[in-house]
Amino acid sequence: MWVRLLTQLLPAGVRLRSINMLGGRRAVEDACAADQANDGRRKLFIIDGDFDHLKGKAKPKLKFLYRLRAYCVENILLSQKSIRMLAMETHPNISENDADAKFDFQEFVYEIDQGLKQLFQLYAVSSKLSPSVATISHPVLDLCLRRANGELALDPVLIKKRMSSLLRAMLRHTTKDAIRKEIAECGARAASLQSIKFVSGKSYIFPILESWLRIRLGIRATAEQLKVRLAGHFQQNQEPYFARRVANL
C-alpha cells in the first residue's frame, strides 16, 4: 500500500529507493531522532496522528518527521471518488452516478460521525487521563448489529454501554471534574475536525467499510487488498499537506 501511495506522489525523476516499516510510532520517532543529519539523502519519517489532534498535542520537533493529519493512513485513503473508482473497477459498465447511488459516501460518513464521534473523543480523554485503560483495542464489531441484508451498522445502545463502561474504568484513575474538563476541551477541538479523519481507520472504520462494500457493491476483498486499491486512487486533496511534503522530497 505504501509503495503505491508514495510513488504516485513523488515528483518526476525521483525514485523510491526503500520503505522501512519500523513497527510502531515510537520506533519511527526514535529512528528519526537518530537520523537528523543533513547527509544529502531524501528521507521522510511518517507517523500516525493517533489521538494527537483531539488532544491538541504538538508534533515532536524533529527534522524529516511528518505526522499525518488523521488518526492513521487508512483514514486518508477514503473519499467519495476513491470508493467510486473501486465500484467502476469491479463493474466496468457502471456509471459514476450509479456507483455513487449504490454506495452513498456521505451516508457512510454520517454513520461514522453519529456512531463514533463522541466515543473517540472519550477515547482521547482516556488516553490522556487513564492511559492503562483499553480504548481502540475494544473491537468495533462488538458495537455493531447486522441489518437484514447482512450489512454492519453501529448500534447506539451498544456504544452508550461502551462509553459508560469506559467512564467507570476511567474513574478508577482520575476524577469526574478532570474528565469533564478534558471532554469539553476535546469537544472544542473535534468541532473543527472530520470524524472520518479522527476515528481509527484501521481498527474501526475499515471493518464497517468492508461490510458495506461487500453488500452494496459486491466487492469482496481483505482490508489489505482494499488499502492497495484505494491507495491507487489517492487524490492530493485527501491530505494536501502530506501530498505536498512527499512531492517536495
Side-chain angles (χ1 to χ4, degrees):
M1 179 269 294
W2 277 108
V3 172
R4 194 164 194 184
L5 179 61
L6 294 174
T7 50
Q8 65 182 344
L9 294 175
L10 288 170
V14 176
R15 180 182 176 186
L16 184 63
R17 183 175 179 180
S18 65
I19 295 178
N20 298 315
M21 307 301 292
L22 298 176
R25 176 170 171 158
R26 175 65 67 182
V28 175
E29 290 180 7
D30 290 346
C32 183
D35 194 4
Q36 292 291 284
N38 293 310
D39 54 12
R41 290 181 298 127
R42 299 181 182 186
K43 51 194 173 185
L44 186 63
F45 295 83
I46 303 169
I47 58 173
D48 292 336
D50 295 331
F51 294 117
D52 288 6
H53 303 297
L54 286 175
K55 296 192 311 189
K57 185 177 179 180
K59 181 180 80 70
K61 293 182 179 180
L62 293 170
K63 291 186 294 183
F64 316 119
L65 182 70
Y66 185 85
R67 182 181 65 184
L68 294 173
R69 284 169 165 78
Y71 189 93
C72 57
V73 67
E74 285 83 356
N75 295 80
I76 71 170
L77 299 179
L78 297 174
S79 71
Q80 181 170 7
K81 184 171 182 179
S82 63
I83 298 296
R84 181 191 303 146
M85 294 307 296
L86 286 188
M88 296 176 75
E89 285 177 352
T90 307
H91 307 286
N93 295 323
I94 197 172
S95 69
E96 291 188 2
N97 288 340
D98 285 346
D100 290 345
K102 285 180 177 294
F103 192 109
D104 186 333
F105 187 71
Q106 293 309 313
E107 179 189 354
F108 182 74
V109 170
Y110 183 81
E111 175 91 4
I112 299 302
D113 184 76
Q114 293 298 298
L116 298 174
K117 183 175 184 177
Q118 289 189 333
L119 176 62
F120 263 74
Q121 290 177 46
L122 191 58
Y123 278 178
V125 170
S126 179
S127 74
K128 181 175 181 178
L129 298 180
S130 51
S132 63
V133 174
T135 54
I136 64 166
S137 60
H138 186 91
V140 70
L141 296 182
D142 288 352
L143 305 176
C144 294
L145 298 176
R146 288 198 181 272
R147 297 186 173 116
N149 64 358
E151 183 177 87
L152 287 177
L154 289 160
D155 181 64
V157 174
L158 293 175
I159 292 169
K160 186 176 181 179
K161 288 181 179 178
R162 168 62 179 148
M163 292 180 69
S164 297
S165 174
L166 182 60
L167 282 167
R168 288 194 297 272
M170 292 170 64
L171 285 169
R172 290 193 282 270
H173 301 268
T174 187
T175 66
K176 287 183 179 180
D177 287 343
I179 292 173
R180 289 193 189 101
K181 178 178 179 293
E182 290 297 332
I183 286 176
E185 294 178 358
C186 185
R189 297 186 195 101
S192 63
L193 302 172
Q194 297 175 305
S195 302
I196 201 74
K197 291 293 180 66
F198 70 71
V199 169
S200 173
K202 179 179 181 179
S203 300
Y204 272 64
I205 296 177
F206 260 67
I208 300 171
L209 176 69
E210 290 176 59
S211 170
W212 283 42
L213 288 174
R214 183 175 63 254
I215 299 300
R216 300 191 179 205
L217 292 171
I219 296 176
R220 296 181 178 274
T222 66
E224 293 305 312
Q225 290 169 338
L226 285 176
K227 291 175 198 176
V228 172
R229 293 177 65 181
L230 289 167
H233 300 301
F234 180 81
Q235 300 291 305
Q236 293 190 10
N237 62 4
Q238 291 170 230
E239 224 282 41
Y241 297 97
F242 174 63
R244 190 179 309 128
R245 183 66 182 85
V246 174
N248 288 333
L249 282 173

